[in-house]
Amino acid sequence: MSCTEEETARITGFASLYKELRGLLHTGSVVHPDTVDPALRVRGVVAADRSEAVFTIATVASLEEALPERLLLDGLDPDRSYKVKVRTEIGEAKWGWTTPPWLAGEPVTVPGSILTGVGLQLPGLWPVQAVLIHLTAA
């Protein structure tokens, strides 16, 4: 059995992303931000010095609300700013008609106090979709 070119590219992308993030994944603290919608699953890993984090935002069913909630990112330093980058190496998620500005293209820099206190407006993710975001202290 062999892989198609697309499958090989996905596997290669996943392996490269894992190699880049493995130090963080193996040494950071796991966080589980609270969510209201039972269809959302959010997990994160934050570096001990809070200089970097990665969060997976996934849906296991249809969201209950048309306007998804804001996600407060636990574990970050409110006194720092973070570059928020969506990682698409393993595929891109699908969501409804409204795209929050932080998902619209280039990485954005957001104060940690906003990420931990106000949160990121989530997109209306379709069922069984996931977004991986990588935050690095600016």
Side-chain angles (χ1 to χ4, degrees):
M1 187 167 158
S2 63
C3 294
T4 66
E5 286 185 30
E6 182 182 339
E7 291 168 333
T8 302
R10 282 247 171 116
I11 292 167
T12 302
F14 178 83
S16 296
L17 182 61
Y18 172 73
K19 286 178 183 179
E20 178 186 338
L21 298 176
R22 73 176 150 203
L24 170 63
L25 296 173
H26 291 278
T27 62
S29 297
V30 176
V31 296
H32 304 274
D34 292 330
T35 58
V36 175
D37 197 313
L40 278 173
R41 301 290 187 273
V42 181
R43 302 294 179 262
V45 178
V46 180
D49 65 358
R50 300 193 292 179
S51 64
E52 182 179 18
V54 64
F55 286 85
T56 302
I57 305 157
T59 54
V60 296
S62 294
L63 297 173
E64 288 187 348
E65 298 293 330
L67 179 62
E69 61 196 81
R70 289 181 176 271
L71 176 65
L72 303 179
L73 299 178
D74 296 342
L76 301 178
D77 185 346
D79 296 325
R80 284 183 166 164
S81 288
Y82 291 88
K83 182 174 81 169
V84 180
K85 181 179 181 182
V86 178
R87 304 302 300 254
T88 59
E89 288 89 343
I90 57 174
E92 295 188 36
K94 293 180 172 68
W95 56 81
W97 60 90
T98 304
T99 301
W102 66 271
L103 268 172
E106 294 299 313
V108 296
T109 300
V110 182
S113 59
I114 298 296
L115 295 169
T116 60
V118 176
L120 288 176
Q121 178 65 56
L122 295 178
L125 286 170
W126 292 2
V128 194
Q129 296 294 307
V131 173
L132 182 70
I133 58 172
H134 185 202
L135 298 100
T136 51

